[in-house]
Amino acid sequence: MITIFKTNINEEQESRVRQFLNLFKEILKVDFDFEDSDNILRIETVGDIATHVEVVLNSNGYFCKELI
């Protein structure tokens, strides 16, 4: 499953955010698109964990919202 999020994450914050995402064993792959105006976060997972990703990132001071 591939899920796409709009974020406020920038290149300087990427490594810190990846540390949070490494907590999810369901995540297979993480990609960022900083050239997009929405600072896209794209994750490939083995299940639907979009809400959990949003909660973790938002509670740590980042904006993260799934694009549907």
Side-chain angles (χ1 to χ4, degrees):
M1 167 177 260
I2 296 176
T3 310
I4 300 171
F5 301 89
K6 175 180 179 176
T7 75
N8 68 344
I9 299 164
N10 61 41
E11 292 176 69
E12 295 171 358
Q13 300 165 321
E14 178 181 357
S15 64
R16 181 71 176 135
V17 171
R18 284 184 182 273
Q19 290 176 356
F20 290 121
L21 297 176
N22 284 338
L23 300 173
F24 293 96
K25 62 183 178 194
E26 300 89 349
I27 294 179
L28 304 173
K29 186 176 179 182
V30 175
D31 288 309
F32 289 92
D33 183 356
F34 299 116
E35 293 182 17
D36 186 285
S37 63
D38 288 333
N39 290 359
I40 295 296
L41 164 62
R42 186 178 298 105
I43 60 172
E44 183 178 334
T45 65
V46 293
D48 184 8
I49 61 168
T51 302
H52 300 295
V53 170
E54 286 180 3
V55 168
V56 167
L57 294 182
N58 289 330
S59 66
N60 283 282
Y62 302 101
F63 171 79
C64 180
K65 178 71 176 159
E66 181 181 11
L67 295 176
I68 299 175

